């Protein structure tokens, strides 16, 4: 047993931190201090720089433009990027679509779609959820009808993050309405410039535009944009669910927020702030410190299993549940600690930590819903991990 | 990074589990309770024959030269099977302290016997206040000519009634940390030991010292400067307590899952119900936290790093998590889990006692507040 990272991995961490210092704005403004457009601009600039370093798809095999990095190396990369609030990564392209195409894609698809991802030239979005299909994703109804030389798509998607900036969408649509629900779905690559796509913004509770609702009205998809076989789409989509899911992003975000809060409290205590010198504040911070440590260790363990080529089933879900719930806990505790300062936003003269805590708290509701709700994750832990019988 | 046991450690765990499954069951735990004994000599001898007591001692002292992670893995298995006896006290609290701090003569006299299980020992720190700070120690030791004289009452001494030697922390000066350690045979004149009567038949006792005379050679470590030794021993003991609790937490989850797979209501196994599935998922997350915080503490101690933070994180978490696990397990078991006949109560009752020993949750949380940045001592 050894809880240390290897010397090479530590060297990589140092290199990454030096890069972040020299090539990204320091300190990185909290997202709430930027407009959506400013943040997007920063995303594209940093994405190109990460691509130049080869880090954007470091986890990919060298033959596909990656670095064959171990999952431990990826873990470090994601841990630091999340902790330092650096935009630029593209989870849909590099973590989801790329590895999916490597398994199921045709040679032409790999040639066309993999290089732009590793070069940071493309934004992907994920066309999975629908208004009537959330946790029960396999019930999705968007239809793709075989028209001989192309598919014709009608229906719609929702909660589609970054669709308004995306060049391409990975789309799950029903190609066989009479087959059992998991077997009638196909996986497509959809050019977002195609005629018949309407995108409507949905502003989230944090006041940001990330989500969209998408409407498809007779949208044509060429036949060569089907991934895998027709009807196999569900299995194409879920194959990759257990990969690249260390959950470290949640743990690192929670740790960052807690560190900022602790630093804030220490400064206030040193300045003689009576209210922030109460024992319960120290107590709360210390207990959350343990929670963030557990979140980190479960993520590390998940990544470590991956590095040993063991597929983590319950571990990845545990990491997601615990990390996202810990972030929520830290954010809510942060509001209690800040007291009357808690609601002040970054543009208020008296705001504490630039309004970051209330911003995190507003965001934190998403983390336990998106990418499989905490309840779905617990089902996975119980059924797949602990072998409890399915209903 | 390597977050797994070595092959040797895996073998140790498998062998320990097989051995304990075949020779030690909860029926024997119950029998000890009925006989108001808390320790099985047969089991102790069998464990000694397997070389368990020698696992962390160097070969020159009759041990097998293992490390603290080996010890942690073994204690985890013992916790799973509710193994009674002064194992952690003899090996972790006293053996490793003597190995590091005693003079050559004491070491070569004591360690081979501890490593072979021939003798047993424990450490006596806590007193009337029940606290673990040096200020809590009022037992007084004065030097008189060529011997020491001790007076005081130690409480909650783990395994006190089952050991041959006690390492006693006594006050020898006026500064709070003016503590010294003395090793005394329990048969010495002026030593009286009584077992505490507890709700969980765990072994702990009261140690009365009335003008107890000890030779000068009984001093372990430096006179008046024994607190760092106590502190280190307590950290080791805390980590081992976590390992023991981790073993309990694991088996409780396993047993709960078995129950949910077998018990049928509404015409199907109750394990199909989401409410209970989610209880189990929460228990599994708690177990995972217990496991890696405990291993992290064991690893950090084995590296000789300052491990105060790691040890306190582990105990504070394990205390709460293990008790959550037991409570949820009761909820999953329904009425049967509330009976004396069912094994669950054996663990549940111990969990609350284990929570208090080697520092309750708040004790460790307070240590953490002093070790994460520079938080000031909190006001009320």
């Amino acid at each position: 047993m050894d809880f240390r990272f290897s010397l090479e991995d530590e060297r990589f961490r140092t290199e990454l931190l030096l890069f972040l210092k020299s090539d990204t704005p320091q300190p990185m403004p909290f997202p709430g201090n930027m407009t959506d457009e400013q943040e997007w601009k920063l995303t594209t600039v940093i994405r190109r720089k990460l691509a130049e370093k080869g880090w954007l798809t470091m986890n990919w095999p060298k033959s596909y433009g990656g670095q064959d990095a171990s999952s431990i190396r990826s873990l470090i990369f994601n841990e630091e990027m999340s902790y330092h609030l650096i935009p630029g990564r593209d989870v849909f392209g590099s973590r989801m679509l790329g590895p999916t195409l490597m398994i199921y894609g045709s040679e032409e698809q790999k040639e066309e779609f993999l290089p732009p991802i590793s070069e940071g030239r493309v934004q992907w979005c994920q066309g999975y959820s629908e208004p009537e299909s959330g946790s029960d994703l396999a019930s999705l109804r968007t239809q793709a009808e075989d028209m001989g030389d192309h598919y014709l798509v009608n229906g719609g998607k929702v909660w589609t993050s970054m669709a308004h900036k995306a060049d391409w969408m990975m789309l799950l649509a029903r190609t066989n309405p009479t087959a059992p629900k998991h077997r009638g779905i196909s996986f497509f690559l959809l050019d977002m410039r195609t005629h018949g796509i309407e995108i409507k913004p949905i502003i989230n509770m944090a006041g940001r535009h990330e989500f969209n609702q998408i409407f498809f009205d007779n949208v044509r998809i060429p036949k060569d944009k089907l991934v895998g076989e027709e009807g196999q789409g569900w299995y194409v989509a879920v194959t990759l669910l257990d990969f690249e899911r260390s959950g470290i992003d949640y743990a690192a975000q929670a740790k960052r927020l807690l560190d900022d809060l602790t630093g804030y409290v220490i400064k206030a205590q040193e300045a003689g702030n009576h209210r922030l010198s109460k024992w319960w504040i120290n107590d709360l911070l210390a207990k959350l410190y343990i929670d963030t440590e557990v979140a980190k260790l479960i993520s590390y363990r998940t990544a470590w299993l991956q590095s040993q080529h063991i597929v983590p089933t319950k571990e990845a879900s545990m990491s997601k549940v615990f990390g996202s719930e810990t972030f929520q806990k830290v954010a809510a505790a942060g509001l209690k600690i800040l007291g009357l300062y808690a609601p002040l936003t970054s543009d208020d003269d008296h705001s504490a930590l630039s309004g970051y805590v209330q911003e995190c708290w507003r965001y934190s509701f998403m983390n336990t819903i998106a990418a499989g709700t905490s309840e779905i994750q617990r089902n996975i832990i119980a059924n797949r991990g602990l072998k409890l019988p399915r209903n | 990074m390597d977050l797994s046991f070595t092959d040797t450690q895996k073998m140790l765990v498998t062998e320990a589990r097989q051995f304990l499954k075949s020779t030690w069951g909860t029926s024997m735990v119950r029998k000890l309770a009925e006989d108001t004994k808390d320790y099985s000599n047969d089991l102790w001898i069998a464990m000694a024959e397997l070389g368990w007591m020698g696992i962390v001692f160097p070969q020159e002292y009759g041990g097998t030269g293992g490390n603290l992670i080996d010890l942690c893995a073994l204690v985890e298995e013992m916790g799973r099977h509710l193994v009674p006896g002064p194992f952690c006290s003899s090996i972790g609290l006293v053996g490793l302290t003597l190995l590091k701090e005693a003079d050559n003569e004491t070491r070569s006299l004591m360690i081979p016997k501890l490593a072979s299980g021939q003798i047993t020992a424990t450490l006596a720190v806590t007193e009337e206040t029940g606290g673990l700070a040096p200020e809590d120690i009022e037992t007084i030791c004065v030097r008189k000519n060529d011997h020491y004289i001790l007076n005081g009452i130690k409480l909650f001494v783990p395994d006190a009634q089952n050991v041959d030697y006690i390492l006693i922390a006594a006050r020898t000066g006026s500064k709070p940390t003016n503590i010294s350690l003395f090793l005394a045979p329990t048969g010495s004149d002026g030593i009286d030991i009584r077992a505490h009567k507890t709700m969980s038949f765990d072994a702990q006792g009261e140690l009365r010292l009335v003008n107890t005379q000890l030779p000068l050679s009984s001093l372990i470590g430096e006179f008046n400067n024994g607190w760092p030794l106590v502190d280190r021993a307590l950290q080791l003991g805390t980590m081992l307590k976590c390992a023991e609790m981790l073993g309990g937490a694991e088996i409780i989850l396993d047993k709960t899952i078995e129950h949910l797979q077998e018990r049928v209501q509404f015409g199907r196994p109750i394990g199909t119900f989401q409410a209970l599935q989610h209880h189990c998922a929460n228990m599994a997350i708690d177990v995972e936290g217990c496991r890696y915080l405990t291993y992290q503490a064991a690893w950090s101690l084995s590296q000789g790093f300052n491990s105060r933070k790691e040890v306190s994180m582990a105990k504070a978490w394990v205390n709460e998590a293990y008790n959550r696990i037991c409570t949820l397990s009761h909820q999953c078991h329904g009425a049967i889990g509330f009976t004396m006949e069912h094994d669950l109560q054996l663990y549940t009752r111990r969990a609350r006692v284990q929570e208090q020993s080697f520092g309750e949750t708040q004790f460790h949380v307070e240590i953490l507040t002093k070790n994460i940045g520079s938080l000031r001592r909190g006001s009320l």
Side-chain angles (χ1 to χ4, degrees):
Chain A
M1 200 160 294
D2 190 346
F3 282 75
R4 277 169 303 198
F5 291 97
S6 70
L7 270 179
E8 299 78 54
D9 284 338
E10 284 299 355
R11 242 177 255 135
F12 166 72
R13 193 191 290 272
T14 309
E15 186 192 348
L16 172 62
L17 289 173
L18 287 173
F19 165 82
L20 296 182
K21 214 170 167 184
S22 62
D23 283 64
T24 65
Q26 289 298 327
M28 179 63 68
F30 294 128
N33 293 10
M34 290 183 274
T35 63
D36 288 327
E37 278 312 311
Q38 284 168 329
E39 193 183 0
W40 172 247
K41 186 145 185 266
L42 206 52
T43 301
T44 52
V45 170
I46 296 174
R47 181 171 294 171
R48 280 306 185 93
K49 290 182 181 174
L50 294 173
E52 277 164 32
K53 286 279 186 183
W55 290 339
L56 210 49
T57 52
M58 65 191 315
N59 54 317
W60 291 11
K62 284 198 175 108
S63 49
Y64 293 121
Q67 296 185 329
D68 267 325
S70 71
S71 44
I72 299 291
R73 188 68 63 95
S74 283
L75 172 90
I76 293 173
F77 176 67
N78 288 315
E79 181 172 41
E80 295 300 343
M81 292 291 285
S82 286
Y83 185 88
H84 294 283
L85 312 173
I86 313 289
R89 284 171 296 170
D90 162 29
V91 289
F92 302 120
S94 66
R95 285 199 222 176
M96 303 183 71
L97 181 70
T100 305
L101 284 186
M102 286 173 213
I103 297 176
Y104 293 101
S106 65
E107 284 312 309
E108 294 74 28
Q109 288 171 343
K110 289 182 207 172
E111 261 169 49
E112 182 179 355
F113 293 107
L114 295 181
I117 296 174
S118 63
E119 289 157 19
R121 291 190 280 114
V122 64
Q123 174 71 47
W124 280 84
C125 67
Q126 187 191 32
Y128 284 15
S129 294
E130 296 181 6
E132 302 301 324
S133 302
S135 290
D136 181 15
L137 182 61
S139 70
L140 60 88
R141 294 181 201 173
T142 291
Q143 230 185 48
E145 199 182 338
D146 189 344
M147 305 300 282
D149 64 336
H150 66 272
Y151 288 94
L152 198 63
V153 179
N154 280 290
K157 295 287 168 181
V158 75
W159 319 127
T160 319
S161 292
M162 302 317 287
H164 58 301
K165 298 291 183 194
D167 307 291
W168 287 83
M169 170 190 278
M170 37 188 157
L171 170 73
L172 288 181
R174 191 161 297 285
T175 39
N176 184 348
T178 55
K181 66 177 182 179
H182 291 91
R183 296 176 193 280
I185 297 170
S186 299
F187 190 109
F188 296 100
L189 308 174
L190 169 62
D191 186 339
M192 289 299 280
R193 291 165 306 184
T194 314
H195 183 75
I197 302 176
E198 191 196 338
I199 302 174
K200 233 177 83 184
I202 298 173
I203 307 302
N204 67 26
M205 177 175 159
R208 314 290 291 195
H209 176 199
E210 289 173 12
F211 292 145
N212 299 278
Q213 183 157 11
I214 318 284
F215 302 90
F216 302 121
D217 179 16
N218 287 326
V219 174
R220 289 166 72 115
I221 301 186
K223 282 237 147 152
D224 63 355
K225 296 299 181 281
L226 170 72
V227 179
E229 286 165 34
E230 199 181 283
Q232 201 192 7
W234 177 260
Y235 305 94
V236 173
V238 298
T239 304
L240 269 292
L241 277 186
D242 287 329
F243 289 85
E244 292 305 321
R245 280 207 308 154
S246 68
I248 191 65
D249 300 321
Y250 302 105
Q253 282 168 22
K255 179 82 178 145
R256 167 60 186 266
L257 180 57
L258 182 65
D259 283 353
D260 282 359
L261 269 169
T262 308
Y264 177 84
V265 167
I266 288 171
K267 250 189 174 165
Q269 290 180 348
E270 280 165 3
N273 183 318
H274 177 66
R275 179 182 170 273
L276 287 175
S277 301
K278 302 279 188 193
W279 72 272
W280 67 265
I281 291 187
N282 289 357
D283 185 84
L284 194 54
L285 291 170
K287 284 176 178 161
L288 291 168
Y289 188 91
I290 305 174
D291 289 342
T292 57
E293 184 78 4
V294 169
K296 184 185 87 178
L297 287 174
I298 299 180
S299 305
Y300 282 12
R301 165 75 180 174
T302 307
W304 182 81
L305 284 173
Q306 288 165 342
S307 76
Q308 303 302 301
H309 308 290
I310 301 167
V311 177
T313 48
K314 68 173 187 295
E315 288 81 5
S317 289
M318 289 200 255
S319 180
K320 203 261 168 179
V321 171
F322 193 76
S324 58
E325 292 184 355
T326 297
F327 180 68
Q328 230 167 41
K329 243 167 108 173
V330 175
L335 297 186
K336 288 186 211 295
I337 289 171
L338 295 187
L340 293 170
Y341 286 85
L344 301 184
T345 50
S346 59
D347 44 1
D348 188 280
D349 290 344
H350 300 280
S351 69
L353 289 169
S354 299
Y356 182 51
V357 180
Q358 57 84 26
E359 191 188 336
C360 284
W361 174 76
R362 291 200 278 168
Y363 256 109
S364 71
F365 290 84
M366 183 180 75
N367 290 2
T368 47
I369 306 290
T373 64
S374 292
E375 289 65 35
I376 291 292
Q377 302 296 345
R378 286 188 167 89
N379 290 352
I380 294 172
I381 297 168
N383 291 320
R384 289 171 60 188
L386 306 176
K387 309 287 178 221
L388 283 169
R390 279 171 198 277
N391 188 350
Chain B
M1 179 170 286
D2 179 4
L3 300 186
S4 67
F5 284 144
T6 60
D7 288 342
T8 325
Q9 285 161 345
K10 282 180 198 155
M11 218 154 71
L12 173 73
V13 167
T14 311
E15 281 172 11
R17 192 170 299 183
Q18 274 165 0
F19 165 74
L20 289 172
K21 255 188 173 165
S22 59
T23 54
W24 188 251
T26 47
S27 59
M28 330 267 282
V29 176
R30 291 164 187 281
K31 194 156 184 316
L32 288 184
E34 277 163 25
D35 300 348
T36 62
K37 280 199 295 192
D38 33 37
Y39 174 28
S40 155
N41 210 37
D42 292 347
L43 178 64
W44 185 265
I45 290 167
M47 282 161 49
E49 278 167 3
L50 289 169
W52 288 5
M53 283 70 164
I55 194 163
V56 276
F57 297 115
Q59 284 171 350
E60 53 180 306
Y61 294 107
T64 45
N67 61 31
L68 285 177
I69 300 170
D70 302 334
L71 185 63
C72 170
L74 193 55
V75 170
E76 184 181 330
E77 286 311 305
M78 295 165 75
R80 248 186 115 89
H81 295 89
L82 299 176
V83 169
F87 183 86
C88 293
S89 303
S90 295
I91 311 305
L93 296 179
V94 178
L96 288 173
T97 304
L98 296 182
L99 183 68
K100 195 158 184 280
E101 307 290 348
D103 56 36
N104 282 336
E105 206 185 323
T106 312
R107 269 209 303 255
S108 46
L109 189 73
M110 295 289 295
I111 299 203
K113 288 184 186 165
L114 284 167
S116 61
Q118 269 174 279
I119 57 167
T120 56
T122 192
L123 172 71
V125 181
T126 24
E127 303 188 2
E128 194 184 2
T129 55
L132 286 174
E135 292 87 342
D136 292 301
I137 297 175
E138 289 184 351
T139 290
I140 284 275
C141 168
V142 290
R143 182 172 168 172
K144 205 169 177 189
N145 303 324
D146 57 351
H147 54 257
Y148 296 110
I149 298 180
L150 280 76
N151 277 287
I153 300 174
K154 294 285 182 186
L155 298 177
F156 317 112
V157 180
D159 305 299
Q161 60 271 47
N162 297 321
V163 294
D164 305 309
Y165 288 86
I166 299 197
L167 192 54
I168 304 163
R171 176 155 301 288
T172 44
S174 52
K175 278 201 294 187
T177 53
N178 282 160
I179 302 296
S180 306
L181 277 174
F182 302 94
L183 185 65
T186 45
S188 310
D189 285 342
I191 286 190
D192 181 26
I193 294 169
R194 295 172 213 189
H196 283 307
K197 297 176 184 68
T198 81
M199 67 169 179
S200 57
F201 307 108
D202 58 307
Q204 43 174 312
E206 172 187 351
L207 167 68
R208 281 173 185 264
L209 301 159
V210 184
N211 293 322
T212 315
Q213 268 196 35
L214 297 175
L216 295 186
S217 63
S218 67
L219 175 72
I220 303 296
E222 256 178 77
F223 188 75
N224 243 350
N225 198 18
W227 181 250
L229 280 59
V230 176
D231 188 31
R232 188 187 136 79
L234 289 176
Q235 285 188 39
L236 279 171
T238 308
M239 180 275 284
L240 293 175
K241 186 56 74 180
C242 290
E244 191 185 320
M245 294 166 83
L246 165 63
E250 286 167 353
I251 198 167
I252 290 299
L253 176 58
D254 292 351
K255 296 278 175 200
T256 307
I257 291 168
E258 275 173 34
H259 178 74
L260 295 187
Q261 285 165 336
E262 285 160 15
R263 169 79 174 164
V264 173
Q265 287 287 278
F266 303 102
R268 51 186 167 138
I270 58 174
T272 55
F273 294 113
Q274 263 189 344
L276 299 181
Q277 290 185 347
H278 287 195
H279 281 345
C280 287
N282 288 334
M283 291 162 79
I285 294 170
D286 271 340
V287 169
E288 202 77 348
C290 291
R291 186 176 292 131
Y292 292 101
L293 282 174
T294 300
Y295 292 169
Q296 178 174 253
W299 173 79
S300 179
L301 285 165
S302 78
Q303 295 291 313
F305 298 154
N306 177 350
S307 309
R308 192 175 299 284
K309 204 165 79 177
E310 285 71 19
V311 167
S312 282
M313 283 195 290
K315 187 63 169 40
W317 172 271
V318 173
N319 277 349
E320 299 302 310
Y322 186 23
N323 281 288
R324 282 196 294 267
I325 288 165
C326 288
T327 306
L328 286 178
S329 181
H330 276 279
Q331 208 52 39
C332 291
H333 274 88
I336 190 72
F338 176 61
T339 60
M340 273 295 184
E341 179 197 338
H342 198 279
D343 285 345
L344 181 55
Q345 52 88 12
L346 295 172
Y347 290 87
T348 310
R349 287 194 284 165
R350 277 170 179 74
R352 281 296 176 199
V353 179
Q354 290 163 327
E355 176 193 342
Q356 316 309 326
S357 57
F358 294 96
E360 72 283 357
T361 305
Q362 285 305 134
F363 171 83
H364 290 287
V365 169
E366 199 188 328
I367 288 176
L368 279 178
T369 64
K370 293 170 191 154
N371 286 277
I372 51 170
S374 29
L375 287 170
R376 309 212 151 184
R377 184 178 285 268
S379 59
L380 277 173

